Amino acid sequence: EVQLVESGGGLVQAGGSLRLSCAASGFTFDDYTIGWFRQAPGKEREGVSCISSSVGRTYYADSVKGRFTISSGAAKNTVYLQMNSLQPEDTAVYYCAARRGAPNGNTWYRSGMYDYWGQGTQVTVSS
C-alpha cells in the first residue's frame, strides 16, 4: 500500500522557518518524483517544488525560489521542504505527492500528473 505522510507544519511568524517532511512507503522511491503542493482557502492547489532523486532534478515555483529548498536522503524514503523567510501568503495546507518517472519543466507542477497524495499538513504564517 502506497503511503505518503506529511509532518512539520505549524504556526510561525512572518520571516520564520519551518521544515516539512514527507515519509513515503509502498513503492520504489527512486522510481518516483515527489512533489510538494499547497492549497490556500478559496484557491486552487499549486505546485511548490518537486524532486527526483534518481536523476538529481529539482523544480520550484517562482513564488518560492530562493526561500524554499527541497531535498531527500537524510532519512530513507523521506523528502523535506525547508521553508525560510515565510510570508503570510505562504499560508496553506501543504501536500506531498508522488508520480512515477522523472519530472520535466512543463508538467511537474500539474497536480493531475501525480498518482498518490498525502493527507496534508497546515502551515500558517502570521504577520
Side-chain angles (χ1 to χ4, degrees):
E1 179 188 5
V2 172
Q3 280 195 318
L4 297 168
V5 180
E6 304 97 334
S7 61
L11 173 64
V12 64
Q13 289 188 330
S17 299
L18 284 173
R19 188 177 81 156
L20 305 183
S21 299
C22 173
S25 62
F27 58 91
T28 304
F29 188 76
D30 287 346
D31 291 344
Y32 281 73
T33 291
I34 305 296
W36 283 100
F37 290 77
R38 66 186 181 186
Q39 188 165 21
K43 294 189 176 181
E44 292 188 356
R45 191 168 296 188
E46 64 169 339
V48 174
S49 183
C50 78
I51 186 168
S52 170
S53 299
S54 62
V55 298
R57 196 177 298 164
T58 60
Y59 292 97
Y60 295 93
D62 287 344
S63 58
V64 306
K65 277 181 184 175
R67 300 188 299 125
F68 291 11
T69 303
I70 194 169
S71 64
S72 66
K76 186 178 172 74
N77 295 355
T78 301
V79 171
Y80 304 93
L81 186 69
Q82 178 66 43
M83 306 187 295
N84 298 330
S85 301
L86 283 162
Q87 299 301 316
E89 52 265 35
D90 295 316
T91 295
V93 177
Y94 283 70
Y95 300 89
C96 69
R99 56 167 288 189
R100 191 174 181 87
N104 66 61
N106 295 322
T107 63
W108 74 266
Y109 52 86
R110 297 180 183 175
S111 59
M113 300 294 291
Y114 290 76
D115 302 307
Y116 305 106
W117 292 83
Q119 81 288 351
T121 185
Q122 176 70 47
V123 171
T124 303
V125 185
S126 63
S127 57

